[in-house]
Amino acid sequence: MAQFISDRRDIDFLLHELLDAASLAKKSEDFAEFNKKTIDLIVSEARNLAIKEILPTQQEGDQEGCTLKDGVVSTPKSFKRLYDLFNEGEWLAMTEDPEWGGQGMPRTIASAAMEYFNGANYPFMMYPGLTHGAGKLVEEFGTDEQKKIFLKNMYSGKWAGTMLLTEPGAGSDVGALTTSAKRNDDGTYSITGEKIFISGGEHNLTENIIHPVLARIEGAPEGTKGISLFLVPKYRVNEDGTPGEFNDVICTGIEHKLGIHGNSTCSLALGSNGNCVGTLLGEENKGMKAMFVMMNEARLLVGYQGFACATSAYMYAVNYARERVQGKNLLEMMNPEAKSVAIINHPDVRRQLMKMKVLVEGMRSILYYVNYCADLAAIGETQEERAKYQGMVEILTPIAKGYVTDRAFEVCSQGMQVYGGYGFIEEYPMAQLLRDCRITLIYEGTNGIQAMDLLGRKLGMNKGKPVMDLFGEMQKAVAGAKEIEALKEQAEKVELAMNSMAEVAMHMGQTAMSAKVLNAFANAHPFQDAVGDVVVAWMLLWRASVAARKLEKAKKKDKPFYDGVVKSLQFFVDTQLPITMGNLKALKTTSSVAVDMDDASFGG
Amino acid sequence: MAQFISDRRDIDFLLHELLDAASLAKKSEDFAEFNKKTIDLIVSEARNLAIKEILPTQQEGDQEGCTLKDGVVSTPKSFKRLYDLFNEGEWLAMTEDPEWGGQGMPRTIASAAMEYFNGANYPFMMYPGLTHGAGKLVEEFGTDEQKKIFLKNMYSGKWAGTMLLTEPGAGSDVGALTTSAKRNDDGTYSITGEKIFISGGEHNLTENIIHPVLARIEGAPEGTKGISLFLVPKYRVNEDGTPGEFNDVICTGIEHKLGIHGNSTCSLALGSNGNCVGTLLGEENKGMKAMFVMMNEARLLVGYQGFACATSAYMYAVNYARERVQGKNLLEMMNPEAKSVAIINHPDVRRQLMKMKVLVEGMRSILYYVNYCADLAAIGETQEERAKYQGMVEILTPIAKGYVTDRAFEVCSQGMQVYGGYGFIEEYPMAQLLRDCRITLIYEGTNGIQAMDLLGRKLGMNKGKPVMDLFGEMQKAVAGAKEIEALKEQAEKVELAMNSMAEVAMHMGQTAMSAKVLNAFANAHPFQDAVGDVVVAWMLLWRASVAARKLEKAKKKDKPFYDGVVKSLQFFVDTQLPITMGNLKALKTTSSVAVDMDDASFGG
C-alpha cells in the first residue's frame, strides 16, 4: 500500500531500533505505561486520524482560506468539526502534565504524532499547536489562580491560545515593541497597542481565545529589559469560569499570504476603546526570559512544520514517480520496440528522489533525537545527565529549526520538479506544500537569526560544554560504525568532516569574540549549513550502523528498508560531504567581503 | 534614485564596457545603425516602457488572473491596452528581419530590453514572447505563401502565436504524442487531438491566434521520427487576409497555477468537431528538427524569465534593506543609547544581499554573453568564426536555462528572506516573484533535461570543439586577470576550478559513453551546477578585470560600482568556489547509489 505523508517503516525504525523509545518507560515512572505496544498503538491512531480526517481538509483549507467580516474571522468550513475531533482524541497536550489535562507522553513518541498531523495539514495544526504553546506558558509562569481559570480549558482545546509578540516596528527586534500596560488598582493591567502577524489571532473555532501578550509597563526600561508578559483573554472570564464581557481585542485585518491560508494571520488592536484588561504572567520585566524558556520548543515545532511538508512531498514524489509513465529507459533509447517506463527508472529522477530521501531521513532523525534529548533532560537520573541533554537540546535547536527548514524547502521544490508541469498546477499537492513550507524559514526567528543564535549563544554556552557533548556523541557513532567493515570507509569520511567542523567551530567562535566579529556573523549562516550537514552525516551514520548489523539476518520484506538506510549514508557521503568540506574550507577564510563593501556598491 | 527591476549601471557596463555592443555595428552592415547613442536610447526607452507601463500591471495581473467562460478566455483587464502599446512601440520582433516587420537589432542589445520587460511582468511578456517564437518558426520553415499570410501580422503583434507540443501523456517525452493529421485533397491537413499546458493558448488580446502544432501524419512512424509541424490558426484566413471561419480549436480548460496567473495556460481540443484544418510547416516528419532549431532561443528566453524575477527580487531587497529599520548595529548591542539601524547594516543581511548581487551579475553576464555569441554566429566574418560562436551558444544554452533558473529561484527565495515576515505577504513583491519564477525550472525542458542535454549532447558535439572553445575563452580571461596584481590570487583560484572542471567534464563524458552511462546521468545535474559555477566565476573574473583597470582613474560616482564588481568576484571566490571544488571532487566519484538502489528501498 502506498504510504501517505510519512514512511511508517522509518518512523518505527527511529522509535524502536535507533532510539529505543520504550526504554524511557523503564527510566522514569512518569513514562511507565509507554511500552512498545502502547507506542505502536499511539502512532497508528495518530496516523489514522491524520490520513482519514486531517489530510482531506488540507487542499480545501488552502483554497477556502480565512475571511474577515465585521470583526469575525471564519476559518475553512471543515476546520471546526476537525478541531473538535482532534480534541476529543486528546492530542493537543500529548506531552504535558496529566494533572492539567495532558497525556504525559514522552516527546520522543509524540514526535511521530506531530509528524503525521503536521504533514496532513499543518496550517490547521497551528491552532492546537499555538494553544498548546500558550498553555505551556501558563503552566510554567502562571499563578495557581491563572492555571485554575485557563489551563485545563486550553489543554483540552476548549479555549484556544496564541502568542502576541510582533508589531509593525518590532519583528526580529522584539525589544522595539510599544504596546503598553498600565497597572490598575485591582492588580490587573490595562493594555493598549497593536500587534501584527498573529497566527490564529482571531477565529471561530472556540468560545474564547487566550492571548499571551508582550508589553511594556509604563515607566519600564527601554528594550528587552522592560518587557513583561500578560495574559489577555478575548472574553473576560466570569466567576463561574464561563466567558463573559468582550475584552476589547479587535481583529483589524487578516493577511493575504503566500501559504498557510487555512490559518488566520491577524492584526489585533488591543484596548483601542480603552477596555482591554490583562493579568501579569510571571514577573514584571521578565517577559523576554519567559519567551526564551519557550523558544526551543516553539522553534522545534517550526522545524516539524517544515519537515512535515518535506516528508509529504517526498512520499507524493515517490508514488508519482512509480506511476507516471514517460520516456524510454535510457539503456533502450535506440530500441524502437522499447516501451515507455515509469519515471522512477530515469537516473535523474532517481537522483532527485534519493536527495529527498536522504534529507527527509536526516531531518526526521534530528527532530526525533532532539525530542529524545528533551525527554532525557527531564528524566535523567543525575543533575549532570539532565544538564547534558538540556545542553544538547540547546545546541541542536538552531539546526532543528534553521537548517531543517532550509533543507525542507529544497525538498519541496525538488518534489515539484519530479512532478514536472503538474507540479506547478494547484490541483496537485506540490504547489501548496512549497507555499506552506516557505514561512517556516521566516517565523519564530528567521533562519539567519537561528544561525546567529548558534554562533553567538549556543557555541559558547556553558564554556562550550554542549558543543563538546555533541562532538562526543558524534565520536561514539563514528567509533561504532568503524567496527562494521562495510561502513568503515564512510565512517572515516564522516570523521574527517566532524574534525573539520570542530576546527571551524573553534575558529568561528574565536572570530566572533574578536575585532572581526562582523566577519564571523556574516558567515554564520553558511556555518549553520556546515554544522547541519555534519549532524545529518552523523545521524545517517548512526542509522546505517544499526541497519547494517541487521541487514544480513533481516527478513526478506525488511531488506530493502535496511539496505536503503545504508545507501542513504553512502549517497550523502558521495555527493554532499565533499561539498560540505568545501564549505568548511570556505569558512576558514571567513570572507569579509560582504561586511567591507561600500553600501553604495550594492547598486539599486 | 532607487532603481527598479534592474540596475541600469550594470546593464551599461555589460553592453559598453564588457561586450562593446557598439562594435557590432562596425562588424556588419546589418547592424550599422546601432551605435552607442542608439543603444542607449533603446535601453532607456525599454526601461521607461517597463517601469511606467508594464510594471504597474504586474501585481494586478497576478491577482486578477485569467478566466474561462463559454470558451472565451479573459486576460487581466490592463493587458489589452498594454499589449497594443507594446506593439505600437514595435518591441515584439526586435531582432528579426525588417523585411517582415522586425527591427533588425543585435541580440546583445535586445538583451537589455528583454531584461526590463520580463522583470516588469513576465507573465504578460509571454504573449508577445510566444508570438515572436511562433513567427520565427514561420520565418524559418514557412513557404512564401505562409509567410505572406501570417508573418507580418505576427511580428507586428496583430495576431498572436503559441506552441502546441505537450499532451497529457507526452510531456518531456514529446515523441509519445498522439495528435493526428490527415492529408486532405487540397493539400491541407485535418488535425485531431488534445493539447495541454498551452501558454496563451486562448485569450482576448488579438483577433486571431496562430498555433504551430506538433502532430503525426496518419501512417507516419512512431516516436519523434514521425512528428510533423503544422500551422493551425484559430480562425481560418480569408483571401483578403482577414480572419474568417472558426477553425475548431476549442479551449476546454485553463489551469489554476502556482504562478504566472496573468498568462492563460490552456487545454485545447483540436478538431473535436472534425473541422480543424492546418497546413504543413516545413517538411513531413521533420517537426522535431524544426523544434530543435528553435530550442536554444526558447530556452534562452526562459533563462531571461527566471533571471528577470531574480534581478527584480534583488533590487527590491536592496531598497527594502536600506529602508527597513530593525535592531541595533551588532557592534553597539551593549550600548543602551544606540539607535536601531537599517537592516542593510546587519552582517547576515549583507551576506544575503551579496549572494544575490553576485548571482544576478553572473546570470546577467551569461545571458548577454550567449546573445552576443548568437550575434557573432550570425555576422562572423568567416564560416569558422560563425561555427565557433554557434557552438558557444549550443554549449552555454543548458547553463543559461538550467543553471540560471535554478539560481534565480534561490535568489527570489533569498529576497523573500530579506523581507522577513513581509516577504510572505502577497501585498509585497516577493511572493509573486517566487511563484512566477518557479515554472522556469520546469517548462521548455526541465532543468534535469537541460543537464542531460549538456552531458549527453553538448559535451561531445563536434568532437568536443564547443567545450574546448569555451575553455579557451575562459583561459583568455584568466590570463588577462593574472596581469592585474589585485586579481592575481583570485585568477589562480578560478584557473584551478576551471582545470578541475575540464578534468571532470572529460571523465563524465567518458562515463556517459561507457557501461556506466546511468551513473553518469544520475550525476548530470550536479555536473551542470559545477559547470555553471565555473562559468559564473569566469564571467565575474572577466568583469573584475575590466573594472579593476578602470577603478583607479574612475570618477567618484563610478568608484562604488567598479569596486562592487571586483568585490563580487572576491565574494564568489571566497564563499562559493570552495563548494564548487567540493562538488567537482564528488563528481569524480560519480556516485552510483541512486542507480543501484532497489526501487523498494525508496519506501513510500
Side-chain angles (χ1 to χ4, degrees):
Chain A
M1 188 190 108
Q3 300 273 334
F4 300 98
I5 312 173
S6 292
D7 196 317
R8 174 68 186 265
R9 185 63 188 87
D10 199 54
I11 291 174
D12 289 342
F13 176 74
L14 266 174
L15 291 180
H16 300 311
E17 302 176 66
L18 201 82
L19 300 176
D20 192 8
S23 71
L24 294 167
K26 288 165 209 146
K27 286 188 186 155
S28 165
E29 269 189 29
D30 291 348
F31 294 154
E33 59 181 298
F34 295 96
N35 57 25
K36 182 171 182 306
K37 203 172 157 186
T38 306
I39 294 172
D40 290 338
L41 202 68
I42 292 168
V43 179
S44 293
E45 273 191 39
R47 183 179 184 280
N48 280 344
L49 181 67
I51 291 173
K52 290 185 186 155
E53 302 289 349
I54 307 179
L55 190 57
T57 67
Q58 186 173 33
Q59 197 179 45
E60 189 187 321
D62 178 62
Q63 287 171 2
E64 217 177 300
C66 297
T67 46
L68 169 67
K69 205 180 160 186
D70 303 329
V72 178
V73 173
S74 302
T75 57
K77 283 188 234 22
S78 56
F79 279 18
K80 172 65 182 157
R81 175 188 163 271
L82 183 61
Y83 184 81
D84 293 343
L85 197 67
F86 186 83
N87 292 323
E88 272 169 36
E90 298 180 321
W91 292 107
L92 188 142
M94 286 182 278
T95 56
E96 303 311 329
D97 192 341
E99 191 192 336
W100 296 106
Q103 302 300 308
M105 194 189 294
R107 285 163 190 269
T108 311
I109 303 168
S111 294
M114 281 171 70
E115 173 175 344
Y116 273 119
F117 296 154
N118 282 294
N121 186 356
Y122 105 69
F124 165 78
M125 281 302 298
M126 292 174 73
Y127 296 105
L130 283 156
T131 303
H132 173 221
K136 189 84 183 164
L137 275 173
V138 178
E139 187 180 346
E140 290 273 334
F141 302 102
T143 60
D144 286 348
E145 178 77 3
Q146 283 171 321
K147 286 194 221 178
K148 225 184 76 193
I149 298 172
F150 297 106
L151 199 48
K152 278 202 177 173
N153 281 337
M154 295 173 81
Y155 278 170
S156 69
K158 189 176 178 190
W159 294 353
T162 65
M163 189 61 238
L164 275 57
L165 284 89
T166 304
E167 300 178 6
S172 296
D173 181 14
V174 182
L177 65 79
T178 62
T179 295
S180 71
K182 188 178 171 182
R183 197 184 166 94
N184 301 321
D185 294 341
D186 64 356
T188 64
Y189 291 78
S190 289
I191 311 285
T192 316
E194 297 194 11
K195 296 285 183 179
I196 61 165
F197 295 167
I198 308 305
S199 300
E202 175 60 37
H203 57 72
N204 56 358
L205 297 174
T206 53
E207 63 176 29
N208 206 356
I209 303 175
I210 312 307
H211 306 288
V213 178
L214 288 187
R216 201 181 307 279
I217 297 172
E218 284 188 350
E222 281 187 24
T224 52
K225 280 182 296 185
I227 294 178
S228 304
L229 181 60
F230 298 89
L231 216 48
V232 177
K234 174 178 165 186
Y235 295 105
R236 296 184 197 168
V237 182
N238 296 325
E239 285 203 2
D240 66 357
T242 58
E245 188 187 349
F246 181 63
N247 196 27
D248 197 11
V249 180
I250 296 169
C251 177
T252 55
I254 59 173
E255 302 292 348
H256 176 216
K257 307 181 301 282
L258 174 66
I260 58 168
H261 296 162
N263 196 274
S264 58
T265 307
C266 303
S267 305
L268 296 179
L270 294 91
S272 54
N273 300 307
N275 206 16
C276 177
V277 173
T279 52
L280 187 68
L281 188 58
E283 294 174 52
E284 278 189 16
N285 299 339
K286 295 281 168 68
M288 282 310 288
K289 216 173 154 185
M291 283 298 103
F292 272 105
V293 172
M294 305 312 302
M295 216 170 253
N296 286 334
E297 201 169 335
R299 290 180 169 179
L300 195 57
L301 175 61
V302 175
Y304 268 96
Q305 294 171 339
F307 160 65
C309 295
T311 171
S312 236
Y314 174 58
M315 287 290 99
Y316 279 117
V318 169
N319 290 329
Y320 184 79
R322 287 194 172 120
E323 283 166 17
R324 169 76 176 165
V325 172
Q326 188 75 180
K328 293 179 186 178
N329 190 308
L330 201 61
L331 298 175
E332 302 213 64
M333 287 300 256
M334 297 302 150
N335 172 8
E337 305 294 311
K339 293 265 171 275
S340 291
V341 296
I343 62 172
I344 198 170
N345 293 289
H346 300 321
D348 184 60
V349 173
R350 294 181 85 83
R351 172 194 63 81
Q352 294 177 61
L353 294 174
M354 198 72 212
K355 190 172 173 185
M356 295 172 81
K357 174 182 195 282
V358 168
L359 288 175
V360 164
E361 288 171 3
M363 291 189 274
R364 178 180 289 124
S365 305
I366 291 171
L367 291 169
Y368 283 45
Y369 181 73
V370 176
N371 264 335
Y372 176 74
C373 289
D375 282 331
L376 294 181
I379 66 162
E381 272 182 46
T382 60
Q383 165 59 22
E384 199 190 339
E385 190 185 353
R386 292 193 295 275
K388 174 187 163 178
Y389 284 103
Q390 184 55 37
M392 292 287 282
V393 170
E394 296 283 350
I395 190 134
L396 285 171
T397 294
I399 303 299
K401 196 280 185 186
Y403 177 85
V404 161
T405 59
D406 276 344
R407 294 297 93 74
F409 186 65
E410 283 177 28
V411 169
C412 292
S413 187
Q414 195 76 82
M416 178 170 284
Q417 207 65 12
V418 171
Y419 269 68
Y422 294 98
F424 200 65
I425 307 296
E426 290 281 1
E427 277 75 12
Y428 291 78
M430 288 301 162
Q432 185 184 352
L433 291 172
L434 187 83
R435 287 188 287 100
D436 286 352
C437 184
R438 188 58 186 78
I439 189 62
T440 64
L441 285 69
I442 297 173
Y443 65 12
E444 206 54 46
T446 66
N447 288 356
I449 289 192
Q450 304 303 319
M452 290 169 71
D453 179 50
L454 176 66
L455 175 61
R457 292 186 61 243
K458 303 298 173 65
L459 210 54
M461 196 175 232
N462 294 341
K463 296 180 184 161
K465 185 163 184 307
V467 79
M468 292 310 296
D469 285 339
L470 174 69
F471 201 68
E473 291 298 317
M474 289 179 173
Q475 279 174 322
K476 268 192 246 171
V478 167
K482 276 184 176 173
E483 286 169 20
I484 302 166
E485 193 50 39
L487 301 184
K488 206 158 174 272
E489 198 188 322
Q490 272 91 23
E492 281 164 3
K493 286 180 178 169
V494 173
E495 189 175 30
L496 273 177
M498 241 172 63
N499 291 337
S500 176
M501 181 199 79
E503 201 185 312
V504 167
M506 186 74 84
H507 163 72
M508 290 289 289
Q510 284 166 350
T511 310
M513 310 265 269
S514 75
K516 292 181 178 171
V517 51
L518 295 179
N519 299 356
F521 281 96
N523 287 276
H525 198 280
F527 175 65
Q528 178 171 272
D529 278 337
V531 175
D533 285 346
V534 175
V535 169
V536 167
W538 158 42
M539 288 290 156
L540 296 176
L541 185 68
W542 182 11
R543 291 165 54 96
S545 304
V546 174
R549 284 181 199 280
K550 295 193 173 188
L551 191 53
E552 213 167 302
K553 291 179 190 164
K555 289 178 197 152
K556 200 177 164 206
K557 75 170 177 61
D558 276 331
K559 280 205 189 239
F561 173 77
Y562 289 128
D563 188 54
V565 172
V566 174
K567 289 276 199 300
S568 287
L569 170 68
Q570 289 175 348
F571 184 79
F572 196 81
V573 168
D574 281 357
T575 65
Q576 179 57 48
L577 222 46
I579 291 173
T580 308
M581 293 299 279
N583 185 22
L584 285 163
K585 196 176 164 194
L587 285 163
K588 286 179 195 164
T589 307
T590 328
S591 180
S592 65
V593 176
V595 171
D596 295 342
M597 199 176 75
D598 194 311
D599 276 10
S601 299
F602 281 111
Chain B
M1 189 190 109
Q3 300 275 335
F4 299 99
I5 314 173
S6 291
D7 196 317
R8 175 68 187 263
R9 185 63 188 87
D10 199 52
I11 291 174
D12 290 341
F13 176 73
L14 266 174
L15 291 180
H16 300 312
E17 302 176 64
L18 202 79
L19 299 176
D20 192 8
S23 71
L24 294 167
K26 288 166 210 144
K27 285 188 187 156
S28 164
E29 269 188 29
D30 292 348
F31 294 156
E33 60 182 297
F34 296 97
N35 57 26
K36 182 168 183 306
K37 202 171 159 188
T38 306
I39 295 172
D40 289 340
L41 202 69
I42 292 169
V43 179
S44 292
E45 274 191 39
R47 182 178 184 280
N48 280 344
L49 180 66
I51 291 173
K52 289 186 187 155
E53 302 290 350
I54 307 180
L55 190 57
T57 68
Q58 185 174 36
Q59 196 178 45
E60 189 187 322
D62 179 63
Q63 287 172 2
E64 217 178 302
C66 297
T67 47
L68 169 67
K69 205 180 162 189
D70 304 329
V72 177
V73 172
S74 302
T75 56
K77 282 190 240 10
S78 56
F79 279 19
K80 172 66 181 156
R81 176 190 161 273
L82 183 61
Y83 184 80
D84 293 342
L85 197 66
F86 186 83
N87 292 323
E88 271 169 38
E90 299 181 320
W91 292 106
L92 190 141
M94 286 181 277
T95 57
E96 303 312 330
D97 193 342
E99 190 191 335
W100 296 105
Q103 302 300 308
M105 194 189 293
R107 285 163 190 269
T108 311
I109 302 168
S111 294
M114 282 171 68
E115 173 174 345
Y116 273 119
F117 295 154
N118 281 295
N121 186 355
Y122 106 70
F124 164 78
M125 280 303 297
M126 292 173 73
Y127 297 105
L130 283 156
T131 303
H132 173 221
K136 189 85 183 162
L137 276 173
V138 177
E139 186 181 347
E140 291 273 334
F141 300 102
T143 59
D144 285 349
E145 178 76 4
Q146 284 171 321
K147 285 193 221 176
K148 226 184 76 192
I149 298 173
F150 296 107
L151 197 50
K152 278 202 178 173
N153 282 336
M154 294 172 81
Y155 278 171
S156 69
K158 189 176 177 191
W159 294 354
T162 65
M163 189 62 238
L164 274 58
L165 285 88
T166 303
E167 300 177 6
S172 295
D173 181 15
V174 183
L177 64 79
T178 62
T179 295
S180 72
K182 189 179 171 184
R183 197 183 166 91
N184 301 321
D185 293 341
D186 64 354
T188 64
Y189 291 78
S190 289
I191 312 286
T192 318
E194 298 195 9
K195 296 286 182 178
I196 60 166
F197 295 166
I198 308 305
S199 299
E202 175 59 38
H203 57 72
N204 57 357
L205 298 175
T206 52
E207 62 176 29
N208 207 357
I209 303 175
I210 313 306
H211 305 290
V213 179
L214 286 188
R216 200 180 307 278
I217 296 173
E218 283 187 353
E222 281 187 23
T224 51
K225 279 183 295 186
I227 294 178
S228 304
L229 182 59
F230 298 89
L231 215 48
V232 177
K234 174 178 166 187
Y235 295 105
R236 296 184 198 167
V237 182
N238 295 324
E239 286 204 0
D240 67 355
T242 58
E245 189 187 347
F246 181 62
N247 195 27
D248 197 11
V249 180
I250 296 169
C251 178
T252 56
I254 59 172
E255 303 292 348
H256 177 216
K257 308 180 300 283
L258 175 65
I260 57 166
H261 295 163
N263 197 273
S264 58
T265 307
C266 303
S267 305
L268 295 180
L270 293 91
S272 53
N273 301 307
N275 206 18
C276 177
V277 172
T279 52
L280 187 67
L281 189 58
E283 295 174 50
E284 279 190 15
N285 299 339
K286 296 281 168 66
M288 282 311 288
K289 217 175 154 185
M291 283 298 103
F292 271 105
V293 172
M294 305 311 303
M295 216 170 253
N296 287 334
E297 200 168 336
R299 290 180 170 179
L300 195 57
L301 175 61
V302 175
Y304 269 97
Q305 293 171 340
F307 159 65
C309 296
T311 172
S312 235
Y314 174 57
M315 286 292 98
Y316 279 118
V318 168
N319 290 329
Y320 185 79
R322 288 194 170 119
E323 283 166 16
R324 171 75 176 166
V325 172
Q326 190 75 183
K328 293 178 186 178
N329 190 308
L330 202 61
L331 298 176
E332 303 213 64
M333 287 301 255
M334 296 303 150
N335 172 9
E337 305 295 311
K339 292 265 173 274
S340 292
V341 295
I343 62 172
I344 200 173
N345 293 290
H346 299 322
D348 184 60
V349 174
R350 294 182 84 82
R351 172 195 62 82
Q352 295 177 61
L353 294 174
M354 199 72 212
K355 191 173 173 186
M356 296 172 80
K357 174 183 194 283
V358 168
L359 288 174
V360 164
E361 289 170 3
M363 291 190 273
R364 178 180 289 123
S365 305
I366 291 172
L367 291 168
Y368 282 45
Y369 181 72
V370 176
N371 265 334
Y372 176 74
C373 290
D375 282 331
L376 295 180
I379 66 164
E381 271 180 46
T382 62
Q383 165 59 22
E384 201 191 336
E385 190 185 353
R386 292 192 295 273
K388 174 187 163 177
Y389 284 103
Q390 184 54 38
M392 293 286 283
V393 170
E394 296 283 349
I395 192 136
L396 285 172
T397 294
I399 302 301
K401 196 280 184 184
Y403 177 85
V404 161
T405 59
D406 277 345
R407 293 299 92 75
F409 186 65
E410 283 177 28
V411 169
C412 291
S413 187
Q414 195 77 81
M416 178 170 284
Q417 207 64 14
V418 171
Y419 269 69
Y422 294 98
F424 199 65
I425 307 297
E426 290 281 0
E427 276 76 10
Y428 291 78
M430 288 300 163
Q432 184 184 353
L433 291 172
L434 188 83
R435 288 188 287 99
D436 285 352
C437 184
R438 188 59 185 78
I439 189 61
T440 64
L441 286 67
I442 297 173
Y443 66 13
E444 208 51 48
T446 66
N447 288 356
I449 288 191
Q450 304 302 320
M452 290 170 71
D453 178 50
L454 176 66
L455 175 61
R457 292 186 61 243
K458 303 299 174 66
L459 211 53
M461 194 176 235
N462 293 341
K463 296 178 185 163
K465 183 160 184 310
V467 78
M468 291 310 296
D469 285 338
L470 175 68
F471 201 67
E473 292 297 319
M474 289 179 172
Q475 280 173 322
K476 268 192 247 170
V478 167
K482 277 185 176 172
E483 287 169 17
I484 302 166
E485 193 50 40
L487 301 184
K488 209 158 173 274
E489 198 187 322
Q490 273 92 23
E492 281 164 4
K493 286 181 179 170
V494 173
E495 189 175 29
L496 274 177
M498 242 172 62
N499 291 336
S500 177
M501 181 200 79
E503 202 185 311
V504 168
M506 184 76 84
H507 162 74
M508 290 290 288
Q510 284 167 350
T511 310
M513 311 264 269
S514 76
K516 292 181 178 170
V517 51
L518 295 180
N519 300 355
F521 280 96
N523 288 276
H525 198 279
F527 175 64
Q528 177 171 274
D529 278 338
V531 175
D533 285 347
V534 175
V535 169
V536 168
W538 159 42
M539 288 290 157
L540 296 176
L541 186 68
W542 182 11
R543 291 165 53 97
S545 303
V546 173
R549 286 181 197 279
K550 296 194 172 187
L551 192 52
E552 212 166 301
K553 292 178 191 164
K555 287 178 198 150
K556 200 177 165 205
K557 76 171 176 58
D558 277 329
K559 280 203 189 240
F561 173 76
Y562 289 128
D563 188 55
V565 171
V566 174
K567 290 275 199 300
S568 287
L569 169 69
Q570 289 175 348
F571 184 77
F572 196 80
V573 168
D574 281 358
T575 65
Q576 178 57 49
L577 222 47
I579 291 173
T580 307
M581 294 298 278
N583 186 21
L584 285 163
K585 195 174 166 194
L587 285 163
K588 286 179 195 164
T589 308
T590 328
S591 180
S592 65
V593 176
V595 171
D596 294 342
M597 198 175 77
D598 194 312
D599 275 11
S601 298
F602 283 111

